[in-house]
């Protein structure tokens, strides 16, 4: 029997487990999906915005995999903690696949980045998604103007969440604290700012278009800024995704402006001005976050111009955009994993088709999939082929894995293979207190009950104590 540990229960981890379970070459395989959190699904639970219910429903597909008889979810297991390094894991499992994603955010590296009121967008996302590590964070929305730096899908998510009204948010599974804070928000202007042109924005068209359908919110773009991009003027050569983005932006640029905030303006007047505005700006590179005693007050940008090679160069002209809240949405970044090689430049683990490479040679029995393998790019579905490739490498190595010693080398005559001990018992002995699948089901039940009591649907429990208490309620009493 081949016993595999998959570290991380987000899409890449679950798709890896699925590829391992559904293949026919190694039928007697058991896959243990370990997660640091007591809850499964990674960024599908803690990254996909709460108002994106359709994407969130992917959890149902992931659930089917984790409920397979050959899959075993074990939450609240911290790989890398004392007593649970790679060496110890390899004594419990024949192979270990790291699917740990990209746990931190990229830095801008400009003055003022850490002023009060300037946050990584990833923190804001974790907070409104009820990530238990974000339970101590406090966001307030006294700001009238909020700046989102970056034009990827996370930037679109946070701009949209800042623009949604209380009634729409109450229908989601957002925890009570963030719901109340966002419902009381004073934000009227949300700026989403790209350093390059509209044809190079990273957001996808479906997500971009959604900004135009938000109630009581106007999307504004500046035709003269869009026109600076040669590919915007002549989008014929653009890849389809970028061309569609350009078409949406063109539609917004060509719309008549909305009028003043006066619903009684009379017949023939422009439509009343919506309560909120999302301003999409391009060719502005952040150079400094400016503050005063109360925290952030503005961001200073240098205007840029296309350099003809897909990049931009500075023009020496500057512009300040006022804002009291700054969300830096410039991408995620992988973090070094104890005992694994790490490429600082890319924030990924070096690998060949998913086999971890140490000094150019495969580290026996250790694999990667997902963002820690290829970097934080692509949509959820991108993880499927990525996971499949890694699973294929692992399965090709299966005969060698089953015949190796705990040091990774060939099994010496009479030497012990990995332990025959049950992995849960071995993990407990290693100092962990795993939350198995019934514990997660108890969390789900507690969240449904909590929401019901609040007169809402399911509402997520936002802290470690609440999650672990709920999970423990499923444990048999002594
Ligand atoms: P992203 O797609 O890589 O976008 C990062 C943005 O930050 C880009 O606009 C980038 O501009 C900009 N940026 C980077 N460094 C900068 C700097 N120093 N100054 C100014 N701007 C800078 O990252 P993301 O938005 O975090 O998304 C991560 C992944 O998750 C993506 O694959 C995304 O599609 C996915 N995701 C998908 C969804 C969805 O499907 N609904 C939702 C959320 C996230 P340049 O292009 O100029 O570098």
């Amino acid at each position: 029997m081949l016993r595999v540990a998959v570290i991380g229960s987000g899409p890449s981890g679950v798709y890896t487990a699925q590829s391992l379970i559904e293949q026919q070459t190694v039928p007697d395989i058991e896959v243990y999906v370990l997660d640091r959190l007591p809850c499964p699904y990674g960024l599908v639970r803690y990254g996909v915005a709460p108002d994106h219910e359709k994407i969130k429903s992917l959890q149902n597909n992931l659930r089917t995999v984790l409920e397979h008889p050959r899959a075993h979810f074990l939450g609240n297991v911290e790989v890398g903690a004392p007593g649970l390094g790679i060496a110890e894991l390899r004594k419990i499992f024949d192979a270990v696949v790291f699917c740990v994603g990209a746990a931190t955010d990229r830095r801008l590296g400009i003055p003022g980045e850490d002023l009060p009121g300037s946050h990584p967008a990833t923190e804001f996302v974790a907070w409104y998604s009820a990530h238990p590590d974000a339970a101590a964070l406090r966001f307030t929305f006294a700001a009238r103007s909020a700046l989102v730096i970056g034009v990827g899908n996370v930037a679109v998510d946070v701009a949209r969440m800042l623009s949604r009204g209380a009634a729409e948010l109450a229908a989601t599974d957002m925890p009570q604290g963030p719901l109340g804070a966002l419902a009381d928000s004073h934000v009227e202007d949300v700026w989403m700012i790209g350093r390059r042109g509209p044809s190079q924005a990273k957001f996808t068209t479906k997500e971009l278009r959604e900004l135009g359908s938000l109630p009581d919110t106007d999307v504004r773009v500046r035709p003269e800024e869009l026109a600076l991009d040669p590919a915007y003027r002549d989008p014929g050569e653009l890849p389809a995704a970028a061309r569609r983005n350009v078409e949406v932006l063109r539609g917004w640029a060509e719309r008549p402006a909305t009028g003043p905030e006066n619903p009684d303006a009379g017949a023939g007047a422009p439509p009343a001005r919506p309560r909120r505005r999302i301003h999409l700006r391009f060719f502005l590179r952040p150079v400094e976050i400016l503050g005063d005693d109360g925290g952030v007050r503005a961001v200073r940008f240098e205007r840029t111009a296309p350099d003809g090679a897909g990049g931009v160069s500075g023009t020496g002209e500057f512009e300040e955009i006022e804002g009291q809240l700054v969300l830096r949405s410039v991408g995620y970044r992988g973090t070094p994993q104890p005992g694994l090689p790490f490429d600082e430049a890319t924030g990924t683990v070096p690998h060949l088709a998913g086999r971890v490479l140490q000094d150019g040679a495969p580290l026996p029995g250790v694999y990667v999939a997902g963002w820690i393998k290829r970097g934080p790019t692509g949509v959820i579905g991108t993880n499927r082929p990525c996971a499949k490739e890694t699973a294929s490498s692992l399965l090709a190595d299966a005969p060698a894995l089953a015949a190796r010693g705990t040091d990774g080398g060939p099994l010496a005559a009479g030497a012990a293979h990995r332990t025959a001990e049950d992995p849960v018992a071995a993990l407990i002995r290693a100092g962990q207190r795993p939350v198995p699948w019934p514990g997660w089901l108890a969390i789900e039940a507690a969240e449904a009950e909590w929401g019901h009591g609040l007169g809402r649907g399911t509402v997520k429990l936002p802290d470690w104590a609440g999650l672990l208490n709920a999970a423990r309620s499923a444990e048999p009493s002594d």
Side-chain angles (χ1 to χ4, degrees):
M1 188 239 289
L2 198 71
R3 206 192 255 174
V4 180
V6 170
I7 317 299
S9 64
S12 63
V14 177
Y15 290 146
T16 300
Q18 184 173 24
S19 297
L20 292 172
I21 289 162
E22 289 181 351
Q23 50 76 40
Q24 307 294 327
T25 23
V26 185
D28 54 345
I29 195 163
E30 296 286 329
V31 182
Y32 289 79
V33 182
L34 315 184
D35 204 295
R36 189 175 70 82
L37 299 179
C39 311
Y41 311 137
L43 277 184
V44 177
R45 178 173 161 93
Y46 288 120
V48 172
D51 61 335
H52 272 177
E53 274 142 21
K54 194 156 169 230
I55 308 181
K56 277 210 166 303
S57 70
L58 254 175
Q59 289 186 8
N60 297 330
N61 303 8
L62 305 183
R63 166 191 291 267
T64 310
V65 177
L66 294 178
E67 289 189 333
H68 189 282
R70 291 193 173 280
H72 313 274
F73 171 75
L74 296 172
N76 197 37
V77 174
E78 190 174 357
V79 168
L84 198 59
I86 297 223
E88 289 88 359
L89 277 173
R90 296 226 52 225
K91 287 182 180 148
I92 310 174
F93 301 99
D94 296 301
V96 184
V97 190
F98 282 82
C99 302
V100 291
T104 189
D105 57 289
R106 277 197 213 129
R107 302 270 304 166
L108 281 173
I110 60 173
E113 190 162 7
D114 296 313
L115 278 171
S118 163
H119 309 266
T122 50
E123 257 180 22
F124 180 54
V125 171
W127 174 75
Y128 67 59
S129 302
H131 194 296
D133 290 348
L137 294 177
R138 293 282 172 269
F139 282 88
T140 51
F141 303 96
R144 297 257 169 219
S145 171
L147 274 64
V148 180
I149 297 176
V151 284
N153 276 335
V154 171
V156 177
D157 276 351
V158 299
R160 196 181 65 252
M161 290 299 290
L162 285 170
S163 308
R164 286 250 186 239
E168 303 154 66
L169 295 173
T172 72
D173 63 4
M174 271 179 78
Q176 284 295 94
L179 174 65
L182 281 166
D184 290 342
S185 166
H186 293 261
V187 173
E188 291 179 348
D189 290 280
V190 178
W191 302 80
M192 206 171 113
I193 301 153
R195 62 181 172 179
R196 297 192 288 157
S199 70
Q200 292 142 340
K202 296 268 178 65
F203 41 60
T204 43
T205 314
K206 188 162 162 278
E207 279 63 30
L208 175 67
R209 203 176 271 137
E210 196 181 354
L211 294 179
S213 64
L214 297 177
D216 214 9
T217 304
D218 198 9
V219 182
R220 298 187 173 181
V221 289
R222 299 188 175 191
E224 69 282 7
E225 215 163 67
L226 302 181
L228 285 174
D229 184 344
Y232 176 82
R233 292 194 302 269
D234 181 16
E237 300 292 307
L238 285 176
R243 199 171 58 242
R244 285 195 296 268
N245 283 346
V246 160
E247 279 159 13
V248 171
L249 292 167
R250 189 186 300 284
W252 286 335
E254 289 170 359
R255 262 184 339 191
T258 49
E261 234 161 341
N262 179 6
D264 303 322
R273 192 166 89 143
R275 194 161 86 84
R276 288 199 169 113
R277 291 158 294 283
I278 298 175
H279 309 259
L280 284 165
R281 299 289 311 269
F282 294 96
F283 294 113
L284 291 172
R285 173 161 74 197
V287 290
E288 184 171 2
I289 300 183
L290 306 167
D292 55 24
D293 291 346
V296 169
R297 68 166 178 80
V299 179
R300 187 160 195 257
F301 294 90
E302 181 178 16
R303 286 179 194 276
T304 61
D307 65 4
V312 284
S313 45
T315 62
E317 281 176 52
F318 294 87
E319 176 175 343
E320 278 180 24
I321 302 181
E322 186 206 322
Q324 303 77 38
L325 172 67
V326 173
L327 296 174
R328 308 180 314 261
S329 183
V330 295
Y332 289 86
R333 185 178 157 76
T335 51
Q337 300 301 303
L340 289 195
F342 189 68
D343 181 340
E344 283 291 344
T346 58
T348 58
V349 170
H351 72 96
L352 185 65
R355 292 181 180 95
V356 170
L357 293 180
Q358 179 118 54
D359 302 324
L363 196 59
V366 187
Y367 303 83
V368 278
W371 279 1
I372 196 65
K373 171 183 172 187
R374 59 170 208 278
T377 57
V379 292
I380 293 171
T382 317
N383 289 297
R384 266 186 190 284
C386 175
K388 212 168 180 167
E389 180 192 58
T390 296
S392 301
S393 296
L394 191 159
L395 293 165
D397 297 344
L401 290 170
R404 55 110 195 140
T406 47
D407 62 352
L411 194 64
H417 182 215
R418 60 141 168 85
T419 173
E421 188 182 16
D422 173 63
V424 176
L427 289 169
I428 292 172
R429 220 166 25 76
Q432 301 294 314
R433 195 167 167 201
V435 168
W437 191 249
W440 157 243
L441 296 182
I443 292 174
E444 270 191 324
E447 293 188 332
E449 196 183 319
W450 171 238
H452 184 73
L454 294 166
R456 299 173 56 196
T458 286
V459 171
K460 283 177 172 170
L461 297 172
D463 55 27
W464 277 96
L467 292 167
L468 289 176
N469 282 341
R472 301 294 178 228
S473 71
E475 285 178 3
S477 46
D478 302 322

Coordinates of all heavy atoms in Angstrom, one line a residue, residues 47-48 52 55 106-108 122 149-155 157 193-196 200-204 207 284-286 329-332 371 376-380, ligand 1:
G47 N -10.4 32.7 0.1 CA -9.9 33.7 -0.9 C -11.0 34.1 -1.9 O -11.1 35.3 -2.2
V48 N -11.8 33.2 -2.3 CA -12.9 33.5 -3.3 C -13.9 34.4 -2.5 O -14.2 34.1 -1.4 CB -13.6 32.2 -3.8 CG1 -14.9 32.6 -4.6 CG2 -12.7 31.4 -4.6
H52 N -19.2 35.7 -4.5 CA -19.0 34.8 -5.7 C -19.5 33.4 -5.4 O -18.7 32.5 -5.3 CB -17.6 34.8 -6.2 CG -17.3 35.9 -7.1 ND1 -16.1 36.2 -7.6 CD2 -18.1 36.9 -7.7 CE1 -16.1 37.3 -8.5 NE2 -17.4 37.7 -8.5
I55 N -18.6 30.3 -7.7 CA -17.3 29.8 -7.6 C -17.1 29.1 -6.3 O -16.5 28.0 -6.2 CB -16.2 30.9 -7.8 CG1 -16.4 31.7 -9.0 CG2 -14.8 30.3 -7.8 CD1 -15.4 32.9 -9.2
R106 N 3.1 40.2 -2.2 CA 4.3 40.9 -2.7 C 4.4 42.3 -2.0 O 3.3 42.9 -1.8 CB 4.2 41.1 -4.2 CG 4.7 39.9 -4.9 CD 4.9 40.3 -6.4 NE 4.6 39.2 -7.2 CZ 3.9 39.2 -8.3 NH1 3.3 40.4 -8.7 NH2 3.6 38.2 -9.0
R107 N 5.6 42.9 -1.9 CA 5.7 44.2 -1.4 C 5.9 45.2 -2.5 O 6.4 44.8 -3.6 CB 6.9 44.3 -0.5 CG 6.9 43.3 0.7 CD 6.3 43.9 1.9 NE 6.9 45.1 2.4 CZ 6.3 45.9 3.3 NH1 5.1 45.6 3.8 NH2 6.9 47.0 3.7
L108 N 5.5 46.4 -2.3 CA 5.7 47.5 -3.3 C 7.1 48.0 -3.2 O 7.7 48.4 -4.2 CB 4.7 48.6 -3.1 CG 3.3 48.5 -3.6 CD1 2.5 49.6 -3.1 CD2 3.3 48.4 -5.1
T122 N -4.4 41.1 0.5 CA -4.6 39.7 1.0 C -5.1 39.7 2.4 O -5.8 38.9 2.8 CB -3.3 39.0 0.9 OG1 -2.2 39.7 1.5 CG2 -2.9 38.6 -0.5
I149 N -4.2 49.3 -5.4 CA -3.1 49.4 -6.3 C -2.9 48.0 -6.9 O -2.8 47.0 -6.2 CB -1.8 49.8 -5.5 CG1 -2.0 51.2 -5.0 CG2 -0.6 49.7 -6.5 CD1 -0.9 51.7 -4.2
G150 N -3.0 48.0 -8.3 CA -2.9 46.7 -9.0 C -4.2 46.5 -9.8 O -5.3 47.0 -9.4
V151 N -4.1 45.8 -10.9 CA -5.3 45.6 -11.7 C -5.4 44.1 -12.1 O -5.5 43.7 -13.2 CB -5.4 46.5 -13.0 CG1 -5.8 47.9 -12.6 CG2 -4.0 46.5 -13.7
G152 N -5.3 43.3 -11.0 CA -5.6 41.8 -11.2 C -6.9 41.5 -10.6 O -7.7 42.4 -10.2
N153 N -7.3 40.2 -10.6 CA -8.6 39.8 -10.1 C -8.8 40.0 -8.6 O -9.9 40.2 -8.2 CB -8.8 38.3 -10.4 CG -9.3 38.1 -11.8 OD1 -9.9 39.0 -12.4 ND2 -9.1 37.0 -12.4
V154 N -7.7 40.0 -7.8 CA -7.9 40.3 -6.4 C -8.2 41.8 -6.3 O -9.1 42.1 -5.5 CB -6.6 39.9 -5.6 CG1 -6.7 40.5 -4.2 CG2 -6.4 38.4 -5.6
A155 N -7.6 42.6 -7.1 CA -8.0 44.1 -7.0 C -9.4 44.2 -7.4 O -10.1 45.0 -6.7 CB -7.1 44.8 -8.0
D157 N -11.8 42.0 -6.9 CA -12.6 41.5 -5.8 C -12.7 42.6 -4.7 O -13.8 42.8 -4.2 CB -11.9 40.3 -5.2 CG -12.2 39.0 -5.9 OD1 -13.1 39.0 -6.8 OD2 -11.6 38.0 -5.6
I193 N -5.9 51.1 -9.7 CA -4.8 51.8 -10.5 C -3.8 50.8 -11.0 O -3.1 50.0 -10.2 CB -4.2 52.8 -9.6 CG1 -5.3 53.8 -9.1 CG2 -3.1 53.6 -10.3 CD1 -5.0 54.5 -7.8
G194 N -3.5 50.8 -12.3 CA -2.6 50.0 -12.9 C -1.3 50.8 -13.4 O -1.4 51.9 -13.8
R195 N -0.2 50.1 -13.2 CA 1.1 50.8 -13.7 C 1.3 50.7 -15.2 O 2.0 51.5 -15.7 CB 2.3 50.3 -12.9 CG 2.6 48.8 -13.2 CD 3.8 48.4 -12.4 NE 3.9 46.9 -12.5 CZ 4.9 46.2 -11.9 NH1 5.8 46.9 -11.2 NH2 5.0 44.9 -12.0
R196 N 0.6 49.7 -15.8 CA 0.7 49.6 -17.3 C -0.6 50.0 -17.9 O -1.5 50.5 -17.3 CB 1.2 48.2 -17.6 CG 2.6 47.9 -17.1 CD 3.2 46.6 -17.7 NE 2.5 45.4 -17.2 CZ 2.5 44.3 -17.8 NH1 3.1 44.2 -19.0 NH2 1.9 43.2 -17.3
Q200 N -2.8 45.4 -20.8 CA -1.9 44.6 -20.0 C -2.5 44.2 -18.7 O -1.8 43.6 -17.8 CB -0.6 45.2 -19.9 CG 0.1 45.3 -21.2 CD 0.9 46.6 -21.4 OE1 0.6 47.6 -20.7 NE2 1.8 46.6 -22.3
A201 N -3.7 44.7 -18.4 CA -4.3 44.4 -17.1 C -4.5 42.9 -16.9 O -4.7 42.2 -17.9 CB -5.7 45.1 -17.0
K202 N -4.4 42.5 -15.7 CA -4.4 41.0 -15.4 C -5.8 40.5 -15.1 O -6.0 39.3 -15.0 CB -3.5 40.7 -14.2 CG -2.0 41.0 -14.4 CD -1.3 39.8 -14.9 CE 0.2 40.0 -15.3 NZ 1.0 40.3 -14.1
F203 N -6.8 41.4 -14.9 CA -8.1 40.9 -14.5 C -8.7 40.1 -15.7 O -8.3 40.4 -16.8 CB -9.0 42.0 -14.0 CG -9.0 43.3 -14.8 CD1 -9.2 43.4 -16.1 CD2 -8.6 44.5 -14.1 CE1 -9.2 44.6 -16.8 CE2 -8.6 45.7 -14.8 CZ -8.9 45.7 -16.1
T204 N -9.7 39.3 -15.4 CA -10.4 38.6 -16.5 C -11.7 39.3 -16.7 O -12.2 40.0 -15.9 CB -10.6 37.1 -16.1 OG1 -11.1 37.0 -14.7 CG2 -9.4 36.3 -16.2
E207 N -14.9 39.1 -14.5 CA -14.8 39.8 -13.3 C -14.8 41.4 -13.5 O -15.5 42.1 -12.8 CB -13.4 39.5 -12.6 CG -13.5 38.2 -11.8 CD -13.7 36.9 -12.7 OE1 -13.4 36.9 -13.9 OE2 -14.3 36.0 -12.2
L284 N -0.1 54.6 -14.2 CA 0.3 55.3 -13.0 C 1.1 54.3 -12.1 O 0.6 53.3 -11.6 CB -0.9 55.9 -12.2 CG -1.7 57.0 -12.9 CD1 -2.9 57.3 -12.1 CD2 -0.8 58.3 -13.0
R285 N 2.4 54.7 -11.8 CA 3.2 53.8 -11.0 C 3.4 54.4 -9.6 O 3.8 55.6 -9.5 CB 4.6 53.7 -11.7 CG 5.6 53.0 -10.9 CD 6.8 52.6 -11.8 NE 7.6 53.7 -12.2 CZ 8.5 53.6 -13.2 NH1 8.6 52.6 -13.9 NH2 9.2 54.6 -13.5
P286 N 3.0 53.6 -8.6 CA 3.1 54.2 -7.2 C 4.5 54.5 -6.8 O 5.4 53.6 -7.0 CB 2.4 53.1 -6.3 CG 2.6 51.8 -7.1 CD 2.6 52.2 -8.5
S329 N -2.7 45.5 -3.9 CA -3.1 44.2 -4.5 C -2.2 43.9 -5.7 O -2.6 43.9 -6.8 CB -4.6 44.4 -5.0 OG -5.0 43.2 -5.5
V330 N -0.9 43.6 -5.3 CA 0.1 43.4 -6.4 C 0.6 42.0 -6.4 O 1.7 41.7 -6.9 CB 1.3 44.4 -6.2 CG1 0.8 45.8 -6.4 CG2 1.9 44.3 -4.8
G331 N -0.2 41.0 -6.0 CA 0.1 39.6 -6.2 C 0.5 38.9 -4.9 O 0.9 39.6 -3.9
Y332 N 0.3 37.6 -4.9 CA 0.7 36.8 -3.8 C 2.2 36.4 -4.0 O 2.7 36.6 -5.0 CB -0.1 35.5 -3.7 CG -1.6 35.7 -3.3 CD1 -2.6 36.0 -4.3 CD2 -2.0 35.4 -2.0 CE1 -3.9 36.1 -3.9 CE2 -3.3 35.5 -1.6 CZ -4.3 35.9 -2.6 OH -5.6 36.0 -2.2
W371 N 0.4 26.7 -6.6 CA 1.1 28.0 -6.7 C 2.5 27.8 -6.1 O 3.4 28.6 -6.6 CB 0.3 29.0 -5.9 CG -0.8 29.6 -6.6 CD1 -1.2 29.3 -7.9 CD2 -1.7 30.7 -6.2 NE1 -2.3 30.1 -8.3 CE2 -2.6 31.0 -7.3 CE3 -1.8 31.4 -5.0 CZ2 -3.6 32.0 -7.2 CZ3 -2.8 32.4 -4.9 CH2 -3.6 32.7 -6.0
P376 N 1.9 32.2 -8.3 CA 0.5 32.6 -8.1 C -0.2 33.1 -9.3 O -0.6 34.3 -9.4 CB 0.5 33.6 -7.0 CG 1.9 34.3 -7.2 CD 2.8 33.3 -7.7
T377 N -0.5 32.2 -10.2 CA -1.1 32.6 -11.5 C -2.3 31.6 -11.8 O -2.3 30.5 -11.4 CB -0.1 32.6 -12.7 OG1 0.4 31.3 -12.8 CG2 1.0 33.6 -12.5
G378 N -3.1 32.1 -12.7 CA -4.2 31.2 -13.2 C -5.4 31.1 -12.4 O -5.4 31.6 -11.2
V379 N -6.5 30.6 -12.9 CA -7.7 30.4 -12.2 C -7.7 29.1 -11.5 O -6.8 28.3 -11.6 CB -8.9 30.7 -13.1 CG1 -9.0 32.1 -13.6 CG2 -8.9 29.7 -14.3
I380 N -8.8 28.8 -10.8 CA -8.8 27.5 -10.0 C -8.6 26.3 -10.9 O -7.8 25.4 -10.5 CB -10.2 27.4 -9.2 CG1 -10.3 28.5 -8.2 CG2 -10.4 26.1 -8.6 CD1 -11.6 28.7 -7.5
Ligands
LIG1 P1 -2.1 39.3 -10.5 O1 -3.1 38.8 -11.4 O2 -0.6 38.8 -10.7 O3 -2.1 40.9 -10.5 C1 -1.2 41.7 -9.9 C2 -1.3 43.1 -10.3 O4 -0.4 43.9 -9.5 C3 -1.0 43.4 -11.7 O5 -1.8 44.4 -12.2 C4 0.5 43.9 -11.6 O6 0.9 44.8 -12.6 C5 0.4 44.7 -10.4 N1 1.7 45.0 -9.8 C6 2.6 44.0 -9.4 N2 3.7 44.7 -8.9 C7 3.4 46.0 -8.9 C8 4.1 47.2 -8.4 N3 5.3 47.1 -7.9 N4 3.5 48.4 -8.6 C9 2.2 48.5 -9.1 N5 1.5 47.4 -9.6 C10 2.1 46.2 -9.4 O7 -2.4 39.0 -8.9 P2 -3.7 38.8 -8.1 O8 -4.7 39.8 -8.5 O9 -3.3 38.8 -6.7 O10 -4.3 37.4 -8.5 C11 -3.5 36.2 -8.2 C12 -4.2 35.0 -9.0 O11 -5.4 34.7 -8.4 C13 -4.4 35.4 -10.4 O12 -4.1 34.2 -11.2 C14 -5.9 35.7 -10.5 O13 -6.5 35.5 -11.7 C15 -6.4 34.7 -9.4 N6 -7.7 35.1 -8.9 C16 -8.8 34.8 -9.6 C17 -10.1 35.2 -9.2 C18 -11.3 34.9 -10.0 O14 -11.2 34.1 -10.9 N7 -12.4 35.5 -9.8 C19 -10.2 36.0 -8.1 C20 -9.0 36.4 -7.4 C21 -7.8 35.9 -7.8 P3 1.9 44.2 -13.8 O15 1.0 43.4 -14.7 O16 2.3 45.5 -14.4 O17 2.9 43.4 -13.1

